[in-house]
Amino acid sequence: MKTALFAGTFDPITNGHLDIIERACAMFDKVIIAPASSPSKQPRFNLERRVQQIQLVCQHLDNIEVIGFSGLLAQFAADNNVNVLVRGVRTTMDYEYEMQLAQVNRSLNPVLDTILLPASQQQSAISSTIVKEVALHGGDVSKFVHPEIAKALTAKS
Ligand code: COA
C-alpha cells in the first residue's frame, strides 16, 4: 500500500490545503494528514482542534488519516513508515522554500522524498494567515474555507 504524508500547520485548514489533499488521495492508497504543533507560529487553534477541523473538512475522503505531531517531520515519517511527503506549491517563492525543506528532510531521513503539487490557480493566493486576517476584520472567508471553519474563525474574532 502506497502512503503519502501531507504535513503543515493547518491553522486553519483552507480550501487550498483541501485541493492538495484531494489530489494526493487520488494518487495514493492512503494519505496521512499531519498537523504540526508548530509552537513557534503560536497557532490560533490548538492541535486537538486542528485535528478535529481537518477530520470534518475531509470527511468525504475515505483514504485519509489525521495524526497530530510535534518534533521533526523526518522522524514522524520514519515512525509511520512513510517515505513520500506531499507539499503544495503556490508561487516561485514557495518553490525555493520547498526545495530547502525537501533537501533537509531527505538529509535527515535518506529514504524520504517529496512530491510537489502545483496549487490550483484559484487557490494560489490563500494562506491560513491571510484567511485569519480577513476574518479578524469581519471579511467574508466563505470562499476560502469550509463553512464550519468560517464559523469558528468568526466566533473567535
Ligand atoms: N494552499 C493554501 N495554503 C497553503 C498551501 C496551499 N496549497 N501550501 C502552503 N500554504 C500556506 C499554509 O497555510 C501556511 O500559511 P501560514 O504561514 O499563513 O500558516 C503557509 O502557506 C506556509 O505553509 P507551510 O510551509 O506548509 O508551513 P506550515 O507551517 O503550514 O508547515 C511544516 C510547515 C509543519 C511542514 C514544517 O514546519 C515542519 O516540517 N515542521 C516540523 C519540524 C521540522 O521537521 N522542521 C524541519 C523541517 S526542514
Side-chain angles (χ1 to χ4, degrees):
M1 181 153 100
K2 201 66 200 164
T3 302
L5 178 57
F6 180 30
T9 302
F10 303 107
D11 184 45
I13 182 168
T14 68
N15 293 342
H17 296 127
L18 184 59
D19 164 53
I20 300 297
I21 292 166
E22 287 176 339
R23 288 158 59 199
C25 280
M27 281 184 254
F28 292 90
D29 298 311
K30 179 177 169 187
V31 177
I32 297 176
I33 307 165
S37 57
S38 298
S40 60
K41 282 190 138 181
Q42 298 189 296
R44 172 99 168 256
F45 298 103
N46 68 32
L47 188 56
E48 193 187 342
R49 192 87 191 278
R50 283 179 277 138
V51 168
Q52 289 165 355
Q53 289 172 337
I54 296 166
Q55 282 166 338
L56 173 80
V57 170
C58 297
Q59 61 187 334
H60 59 296
L61 299 167
D62 59 10
N63 58 338
I64 60 143
E65 186 177 3
V66 187
I67 312 176
F69 79 104
S70 25
L72 276 181
L73 177 56
Q75 185 59 50
F76 178 75
D79 293 344
N80 286 277
N81 295 315
V82 179
N83 55 17
V84 180
L85 298 177
V86 168
R87 299 280 293 165
V89 180
R90 295 160 299 171
T91 60
T92 49
M93 266 168 60
D94 272 3
Y95 177 76
E96 306 261 328
Y97 172 62
E98 292 303 332
M99 285 292 286
Q100 278 183 309
L101 280 190
Q103 284 162 358
V104 171
N105 281 324
R106 194 145 177 245
S107 73
L108 293 169
N109 175 352
V111 298
L112 187 58
D113 227 322
T114 301
I115 291 183
L116 301 180
L117 292 180
S120 297
Q121 204 176 5
Q122 64 271 32
Q123 311 293 357
S124 61
I126 310 179
S127 79
S128 299
T129 299
I130 288 175
V131 170
K132 282 181 282 193
E133 183 73 9
V134 172
L136 180 67
H137 296 287
D140 177 12
V141 292
S142 59
K143 275 194 205 135
F144 310 131
V145 293
H146 184 282
E148 288 301 321
I149 306 285
K151 223 188 278 177
L153 282 166
T154 310
K156 292 191 86 185
S157 294

